[in-house]
Structure formats: structure tokens, C-alpha cells
Amino acid sequence: MAAYETRNVTVLGEKRPALVHAAYVYWDFFHTFGVSPILGREFQHDSGEVAIISHRMWEQRFGRDPHALGKTLSIKGKGFVIVGIMPKWFDYPVGTKLWMPLRIRKTLASRNTHHLDVTARLRPGVTLQHAQTEMSTISQRLALVYPSSDRGHTAELSPLREHLVGRAVPKLILLWGAVGLILLIACVNVGNLLLARTTSRSQEIAVRAALGAGAWRLARQSLTEAVLLSLIGAAVGLAVAFGSMPLLSNLMPNAVQGIERATVDGHALEYSLLLAVISGLFFGMAPVLGVLKMNSNVQLKGVARSLAPGTDGGLLQRCLVVSETGLALMLLMGAGLLIASFWRLQDVNPGFNPRAVLTMPLSLPGQRYAHAGQRNAFFRSLLDRIDELPGVKSTAVVYPLPFGGGWLKTEFVPEGWTRTGSRNKPIASLAAVSPGYFTTRGIPLLEGRCFRQSDGHEASPAVIVDEQLAHMFWPHQCPIGKFIEHWKVKPTVIGVVGHVRSRSLAGDPGPELYVPIFGDPPLFGAVVVRTSVSPASLVPLVRKEVWTLDNELPVSNIATMRERLAASVNSQRSDAFMLSVFGIVGLLLAAVGIYGVVSYSVKRRTHEIGIRMALGAERHDVMKMIIRQGFKLALIGVGIGIAGAFALTRFLSSLLYGVKPTDPLTFITVSLILLAAALLACYIPARRAAKVDPMVALRYE
């Protein structure tokens, strides 16, 4: 068992200080995970001021220098000696670059400390259910012995794998489904081509049979060709995969933990080769069946060339075309729903004006900014200096930073609210802001006033609420002057502002409270700057002002509010893009399949077309006949695909926003796109058929 906690620490360097994500871990943390440093050693029970760094930090900070062991990192005014370097693949807690021993400080020694995370390795033969039962029993006993600190707390066990990739399961299922559909469509196309090729080689096969080749020998030859074709395709696919792996993390940012370290390893090679052989054998069976059923006498007489399209494999070919059209429509339907969802998300009104706003998160070291007066002085001085920069319209400080990954919640009791039954206290998002914040962020003030410089020091505290909270608890009343009890104080409502989204465009955060940040500001805060020029042009100037006040303060992750808004929908963007690529590939494959079947049919029916034209058929009649044949297959495929999409798109409901899995507009649009592609695929061979010279066609063999 090993406990740990994570936080960002400032590491001083030769150039500028850096903010590093660190983990304070119990001494046998790495032993619990069964991993050891590739260089150096693990922590010991009596470890002093030592540190273990990640492989990435070793590369970035020390250039993979093996002599990095023994060097000192300056953290919190102390020197931590590097005693180990972790393997490249180890990344836990996620994003950690630095591990240090967990000290039993005064706060940790208190029984009221419940913020630590714990990992454990089960003994052989012990199930998770058994371990959960034991932990629940221990929790109940502790609650009886220490009711003031442990009552209401319990221990919940969950597999580490679920903790790391549990949220990625829908995306992985989506990816697997898309890949599977593409594979099926491609294999159906190959099977169709092999079937057509076998039919066109009917005389050759008949000659081989006449010379003594058995049916199974001919079938074995056909299967060998199919598997060889599949293996060549697998080799090309693996080569493309090797080259495209660096793009994967960009296409699916934060979708799956560790995806940036994914590679085509031995397991992927084995899986791909096995899948290629199975696909080749399975979809090579269609031409094999054709070989086994072939009548050599008929083929030697050349009768098959003039057969009607409904015989000699034609029915099987058309069934394959229908199936790949249906599969392509299902894939396109998923892509269409995700694209529609993404556009709906893009159109969501965040409630504020994100244009020309620069954001800069800051983390003040607790040793040098232990007192509220020091933090107040720093933030006030910084805002004054930034206000004087050319192109700056207004500035403010906020915690937590909107769309910055943090979120504060608080229970509160509004004036006039009474508890009913077992109903809990209302919960609202909480933000600490400085005067000028609402103007800087572009949030409209609806009633009352904004914060003033003196609000953080008044004997009667003040609070600002958003319109959602006001409507929930004081409908048809003026909320100004009402009080809200939270954190054992009763601040008075001085203003009402518009409702905004501060965490994600997809989910409504609920009501929000704003309190003054000055008075007792946190160590973590973010400076928000509204500009009259390009925000990016002010980044060097703003960074310089920070280092003028404190040259040991790390400044990173500076971004515009628009960039943070765009980053908040990266996951939805990558889902839509990924499935759109698969959908386009599926559409092209389906169109190629329809084109191939119609074109092959035209070639086999050239003699028939010549007779029709000799008997008076017009060119447009021939074109309509050929187009009707292919378009009918596409219509049947679309019908089957719609039925399948109704069943499968329901699994996308957790990934959709503002769109139903059975959205009729998406179904109609995607169906029309696929039918248009099918019509084009039919038109090309139909036009070629209409140009057939009757005299040439009558002599065609």
C-alpha cells in the first residue's frame, strides 16, 4: 500500500523557473507498482531531501545525461538530490515529472486529513470484492472509534485500469467500431474483385481442370492468391501505420491516457498478420465456391460470357455491394451525428465575450507568500503594472481560471430557503475575483454593482450571484440585499451578473457565486487581461512584468480565452474528425464497389447491349438500364444501413450534445450523400456502355 498527493512545484533553473507537476509519495510507492528506476535507486524508508525524475524531464532538462544522478534541484528553497530516473513508459500519477518523499506534516498527522490518494496491490488469490469488504469493515470500525473525523467516510476500491482508461472506453469502442466497419467494407470490395476475377478467368480454370487439376487444387490456388493479396495489403497498412503514429496524439488529444507513447510493437504486428490471414481466407471463400461449382464443359464452350447478369456469381456480387453500401451508411451516420453534435457545441453561447482576452495562471510559493498581505501586494502591483502596458483595456485576477481545469464548489443557504425532508443544501460553483473581473471577461452586470477594492476588507462581506441562482431562489424578487450563508459567513448580495459557462461548453455548471479575492487571496490565481490589440503580442510584456516583481516565479501556460474555449472541445473535435475520415474512406470504398460491379456487368453484357442497340434501343435507354441496375443496389443497401444505424448509433448517445442518435436531418442528409456517390459510380460505366458500337459489340467475345 502506498499513499501520495500531487501538486505543482516551482523548480529553479539556470534560465527561468519552471512549474513542474510533482507527486509526494510514500517511500515504497514504486515497489507497490512493481517498477524501478532505469538509473539510480528508489526511495528508502529514511529518505532525506531526494527526488526521482521522469524520463521526459531527464530528456528535456538534462539532455539524457547519465551524470544527472547526484545533481540538485532547487525546490521551495531546498536542494533535492536526484537519486533516480524512471522508465519512459511509467507515468503515474498522470503527467508527473518529479517524485519526492511524502512527509508526515502536521496537517497529514491530523485524522481530518482525507485528501491523500492510495494505491495498493492485492495479494495473490484475493479478489477486489473481498478487499472491498475488508476495507468497508475497517472504515465502519474507524467511524465508531473516531466519530468526529471518520464518520461519513469510507474507502472505495476500483481497478487502476478503470481509473486510467475508464472514461476512454466509449472512444475506444467508437474507434474499434469504425476500424471494424472499414475493414469489412474493404474486405467486401476485395471479395467482389476476386469473384469478378475468378469469373473472368473461367476459361483458364476450365482448361486447368481439363488437364487434370482437381477442384480442391484449384480452390487452394484461389485461396493462396487471396491470402497473398491480403498480406501485401497488411504490409502496406503497417508501413502507413509506422509513419502516421506521430499524428495519432494530435488527432485524439487526451482521448486515451498514454496515447502519445503508442507504437506499432510486436503485438500489433502479430495481430495485423493474423487478421490479414483470417480476412484473406474468409473473403477468399466466395471465389473458391465459384471454382468448386464451375462446369468445365460449359466454360470451354464460352457460354458464360453471354450469361445474363443474374447467374455465374452475379447474385453474390450484388449482395456484397448491398452489404458494403449498408456498412458505409452506418459509418457515415456516426460521423454525421458527431459532426452535428460538434457544430451544436460550437454554437453554444458561453455567456461572456472571449475575444481579445489573455489569461495567465500563476502559482505563488507558500514560503515567500505565506501571509495574505504579501499575496495581496503582489497581485495588486502586478495588475497596476499590466494596466499601464499599451493596448491593455482592463485587468483582473480570478481563481479558479475559467476553462483552466479547476473547479470550486460550495454548499450555501440562500435567504428564505428551508430544508424539506432529506434535501441537502444547494451547491454552487464558486469563484474568487478582483474588481474589474466582469468587465475584463465580458460578463454583463444585470443588477446592482460590481466589487470594489474595499469589499474584501469590509466587516459585512459581499457576494455577487449569477442570474440562474437569483431565479432559482428569489423568483420575481430583487436579490440585492439578500444574504447567502456559506463557509460560516453571511455575505450580502450586491449584484447579479449573467450566467456563464466556466468549465465546459457541453455541460451547464449550475448556479455560480462570486466572492472578492482581495483580503485573503489563494496562492493560485490567474491574471485575465482584455486588450485592444492582439493578445499574443502582449505575452512577452506581461511575462516581463511578472519577472520584474519576482524573477523566481514560473510563468507558463499563457493562452487566450478563445484558445482555452477551443481546447475545451478538443475531445469532441477529434471524435468528429476521426469518424469523418473513416466515413469518407467508407464512402469511397462503397462507391468503388458499386462502380466495379456495374463496370464488370457492362463488360460482360457488351454483346447483349449491342443486340439491344441493333434492335433500336437508344443510348439514353441503355444508360437508364445500367444506372437503374446499380442504383437499385444502392437503395437496398441504404435501407439496410438505416436499419443498422438506428440500432448502432444509440451507443453514441454519451458522445453527443444537442443531437439525438436518431436525428432525422442527419439520416436524410447522409443517405442523400451516399446515394449521390452511388449515382456517380453508376453513371461512369453507364456512359461508357451507351457509347458501344453495335457492330463491334455483336462481334465481342
Side-chain angles (χ1 to χ4, degrees):
M1 241 178 175
Y4 65 93
E5 63 175 336
T6 60
R7 71 181 79 159
N8 292 326
V9 299
T10 302
V11 179
L12 301 183
E14 297 177 357
K15 297 180 180 179
R16 286 294 182 184
L19 194 65
V20 176
H21 189 61
Y24 289 84
V25 302
Y26 196 58
W27 69 275
D28 64 348
F29 177 82
F30 299 107
H31 175 71
T32 303
F33 279 90
V35 62
S36 299
I38 56 173
L39 292 177
R41 63 173 176 85
E42 301 177 24
F43 294 138
Q44 299 173 352
H45 188 68
D46 56 347
S47 294
E49 307 298 340
V50 295
I52 295 176
I53 62 175
S54 69
H55 196 279
R56 180 175 295 182
M57 187 174 181
W58 182 42
E59 289 178 333
Q60 294 175 346
R61 195 175 184 93
F62 300 101
R64 299 173 62 94
D65 181 7
H67 297 98
L69 293 177
K71 291 188 176 181
T72 301
L73 297 174
S74 179
I75 304 171
K76 295 184 176 181
K78 299 179 181 179
F80 286 76
V81 179
I82 300 174
V83 297
I85 300 169
M86 294 306 295
K88 187 175 184 178
W89 55 266
F90 185 76
D91 182 23
Y92 194 83
V94 176
T96 300
K97 293 186 178 181
L98 179 67
W99 293 267
M100 293 177 288
L102 180 65
R103 306 292 184 200
I104 304 301
R105 306 185 304 274
K106 182 178 180 180
T107 54
L108 292 183
S110 168
R111 294 205 62 87
N112 289 309
T113 299
H114 299 289
H115 70 274
L116 292 180
D117 291 304
V118 179
T119 59
R121 183 176 293 277
L122 297 179
R123 289 179 180 176
V126 177
T127 65
L128 186 68
Q129 291 76 13
H130 182 212
Q132 180 65 68
T133 301
E134 288 192 354
M135 293 300 296
S136 298
T137 302
I138 293 172
S139 298
Q140 291 171 4
R141 291 174 180 171
L142 289 173
L144 292 174
V145 178
Y146 306 99
S148 61
S149 60
D150 287 55
R151 181 176 294 171
H153 291 276
T154 186
E156 182 178 346
L157 276 62
S158 61
L160 182 62
R161 183 186 300 275
E162 180 181 316
H163 174 66
L164 290 175
V165 300
R167 290 181 296 178
V169 169
K171 295 180 182 294
L172 291 174
I173 294 175
L174 176 66
L175 180 60
W176 275 102
V179 170
L181 289 176
I182 284 292
L183 177 64
L184 283 174
I185 295 171
C187 288
V188 167
N189 252 349
V190 172
N192 232 333
L193 293 174
L194 288 174
L195 186 61
R197 186 169 181 269
T198 301
T199 306
S200 64
R201 295 171 61 192
S202 56
Q203 274 201 322
E204 173 200 337
I205 295 172
V207 172
R208 289 176 181 271
L211 294 176
W216 283 108
R217 185 174 181 178
L218 294 172
R220 188 167 64 247
Q221 176 189 352
S222 180
L223 276 179
T224 301
E225 293 174 354
V227 172
L228 182 61
L229 184 64
S230 184
L231 289 173
I232 294 173
V236 174
L238 286 170
V240 174
F242 270 113
S244 61
M245 287 307 296
L247 300 176
L248 189 59
S249 59
N250 294 327
L251 294 179
M252 299 180 66
N254 305 320
V256 181
Q257 181 58 40
I259 196 169
E260 69 278 359
R261 299 188 302 276
T263 183
V264 182
D265 56 9
H267 294 294
L269 289 172
E270 294 171 2
Y271 173 79
S272 300
L273 292 176
L274 179 63
L275 193 60
V277 172
I278 293 175
S279 301
L281 290 173
F282 185 78
F283 286 91
M285 289 302 297
V288 168
L289 294 175
V291 170
L292 294 178
K293 294 179 179 180
M294 192 172 292
N295 189 323
S296 301
N297 293 327
V298 174
Q299 300 298 333
L300 287 172
K301 294 176 182 178
V303 177
R305 295 181 205 159
S306 58
L307 288 174
T311 61
D312 199 26
L315 178 61
L316 181 57
Q317 281 184 304
R318 293 200 296 277
C319 289
L320 291 175
V321 168
V322 168
S323 64
E324 71 176 324
T325 304
L327 293 172
L329 185 126
M330 291 161 60
L331 197 55
L332 282 170
M333 205 67 74
L337 288 172
L338 288 177
I339 291 173
S341 174
F342 176 69
W343 284 114
R344 293 280 180 91
L345 200 58
Q346 290 282 81
D347 290 339
V348 171
N349 180 12
F352 62 93
N353 181 10
R355 296 186 183 90
V357 176
L358 187 69
T359 62
M360 177 179 62
L362 293 173
S363 177
L364 305 181
Q367 291 77 14
R368 291 186 287 113
Y369 294 91
H371 301 292
Q374 294 171 312
R375 300 192 292 273
N376 272 322
F378 173 81
F379 282 123
R380 289 183 189 275
S381 298
L382 181 59
L383 293 183
D384 290 341
R385 298 180 72 93
I386 296 177
D387 265 328
E388 296 176 359
L389 294 176
V392 173
K393 297 176 69 175
S394 62
T395 59
V397 179
V398 59
Y399 177 76
L401 173 63
F403 296 95
W407 187 31
L408 287 179
K409 295 186 298 182
T410 183
E411 290 184 340
F412 69 98
V413 178
E415 181 180 341
W417 181 83
T418 56
R419 187 191 299 268
T420 57
S422 60
R423 183 181 173 189
N424 296 323
K425 294 179 182 179
I427 296 178
S429 300
L430 180 67
V433 303
S434 68
Y437 171 74
F438 301 106
T439 300
T440 303
R441 193 177 167 191
I443 301 175
L445 177 67
L446 304 180
E447 294 183 67
R449 65 174 177 86
C450 295
F451 290 126
R452 298 170 182 161
Q453 293 290 345
S454 58
D455 281 327
H457 302 281
E458 289 178 343
S460 56
V463 66
I464 292 176
V465 302
D466 71 350
E467 57 181 326
Q468 186 179 102
L469 189 146
H471 291 160
M472 287 175 63
F473 298 102
W474 303 300
H476 313 297
Q477 299 181 47
C478 178
I480 307 301
K482 303 283 187 181
F483 69 83
I484 288 181
E485 181 182 350
H486 89 107
W487 288 359
K488 298 181 180 180
V489 296
K490 290 186 177 181
T492 302
V493 176
I494 64 170
V496 179
V497 296
H499 180 63
V500 299
R501 297 173 187 259
S502 297
R503 293 188 66 220
S504 169
L505 292 176
D508 193 324
E512 189 156 8
L513 295 172
Y514 299 92
V515 296
I517 196 170
F518 289 140
D520 189 13
L523 290 170
F524 305 99
V527 176
V528 184
V529 183
R530 179 165 292 278
T531 70
S532 58
V533 296
S534 171
S537 64
L538 290 177
V539 171
L541 299 177
V542 172
R543 186 185 285 119
K544 181 181 178 181
E545 296 300 334
V546 175
W547 285 333
T548 300
L549 292 175
D550 188 341
N551 60 3
E552 294 185 1
L553 203 63
V555 181
S556 60
N557 197 22
I558 302 178
T560 65
M561 187 58 75
R562 278 194 161 186
E563 290 171 339
R564 296 194 184 280
L565 275 174
S568 71
V569 294
N570 271 345
S571 178
Q572 291 86 350
R573 182 185 294 107
S574 64
D575 292 343
F577 178 79
M578 176 188 66
L579 209 59
S580 296
V581 171
F582 284 126
I584 292 172
V585 172
L587 176 65
L588 292 176
L589 287 175
V592 168
I594 295 172
Y595 171 82
V597 168
V598 176
S599 181
Y600 178 69
S601 174
V602 168
K603 181 179 179 182
R604 289 178 55 78
R605 299 174 66 184
T606 302
H607 191 76
E608 173 199 339
I609 292 172
I611 294 175
R612 288 177 179 272
M613 298 186 71
L615 294 176
E618 299 292 337
R619 294 183 183 274
H620 65 271
D621 295 324
V622 174
M623 286 187 65
K624 285 193 294 185
M625 179 185 67
I626 301 299
I627 291 176
R628 189 185 305 114
Q629 174 193 345
F631 198 67
K632 186 191 301 182
L633 300 179
L635 281 174
I636 297 173
V638 166
I640 295 174
I642 289 176
F646 266 108
L648 293 181
T649 53
R650 298 182 185 277
F651 293 102
L652 294 177
S653 57
S654 62
L655 302 176
L656 300 179
Y657 175 81
V659 178
K660 294 182 179 179
T662 55
D663 179 50
L665 180 60
T666 303
F667 272 64
I668 294 173
T669 303
V670 169
S671 300
L672 291 178
I673 291 175
L674 186 57
L675 289 175
L679 187 62
L680 179 62
C682 296
Y683 173 76
I684 297 174
R687 188 180 177 205
R688 187 171 64 246
K691 293 182 179 180
V692 169
D693 187 339
M695 298 304 296
V696 175
L698 290 174
R699 294 195 301 267
Y700 180 79
E701 293 184 352

